[in-house]
Structure formats: structure tokens, C-alpha cells
């Protein structure tokens, strides 16, 4: 399993001084690596590019599970 998300954070509004929630500009992805651990990585500001980057990371993890990729590559 894997996923793509944009985290939120709280910031102070300069006009009112109240706390507001904002989303980060960058998309983040999470996936299970070749050892079964959950890995969270920053990807890109563009969602389509971030999906492609995550797909490549997942493919490399699957190859690692099959023993086709060197663990230190």
C-alpha cells in the first residue's frame, strides 16, 4: 500500500492574529520499503509529478523485495 498527501500546519493570520490551517505546497508520499517499513518522503509541488515519483519509488521497493535491486543502490 502507498499514498499521496499534503500535510497541514497551523499558522497565525497576520491581520487577525488567529490560528489558521494551511496546507504545504509540496506533496508527500508514503510507501512500504523492501524491509516492510513505512517510509514517508517529500516529493514535488506538482501532483502529477509527485504521483510519478511515488510510482518509481514503489517499483524500486518491489524489485528490492524480489531481490533484483542492490540494497545500497
Amino acid at each position: 500500500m502507498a499514498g499521496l498527501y499534503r500535510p497541514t500546519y497551523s499558522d497565525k493570520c497576520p491581520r487577525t492574529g488567529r490560528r489558521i490551517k494551511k496546507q504545504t505546497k509540496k506533496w508527500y508520499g508514503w510507501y512500504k520499503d523492501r524491509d516492510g517499513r513505512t517510509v514517508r518522503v517529500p516529493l514535488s509541488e506538482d501532483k502529477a509529478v509527485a504521483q510519478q515519483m511515488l510510482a518509481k519509488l514503489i517499483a524500486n521497493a518491489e524489485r528490492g523485495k524480489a531481490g533484483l535491486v542492490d540494497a545500497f543502490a
Side-chain angles (χ1 to χ4, degrees):
M1 268 192 104
L4 194 64
Y5 67 99
R6 283 176 57 187
T8 59
Y9 64 96
S10 62
D11 197 10
K12 188 186 279 190
C13 179
R15 286 186 291 135
T16 62
R18 299 174 100 179
R19 290 296 218 190
I20 55 174
K21 284 189 176 182
K22 292 185 176 182
Q23 284 188 329
T24 60
K25 291 181 181 180
K26 192 175 279 192
W27 286 88
Y28 286 73
W30 64 271
Y31 66 98
K32 299 241 183 206
D33 68 356
R34 63 186 297 252
D35 298 324
R37 293 179 291 187
T38 301
V39 179
R40 292 179 180 88
V41 291
L43 297 171
S44 174
E45 291 184 10
D46 184 15
K47 186 176 182 180
V49 174
Q51 286 174 336
Q52 292 174 354
M53 293 170 70
L54 183 60
K56 188 173 183 178
L57 290 170
I58 293 168
N60 286 339
E62 290 295 322
R63 282 192 219 109
K65 286 180 187 175
L68 299 175
V69 176
D70 184 22
F72 300 105

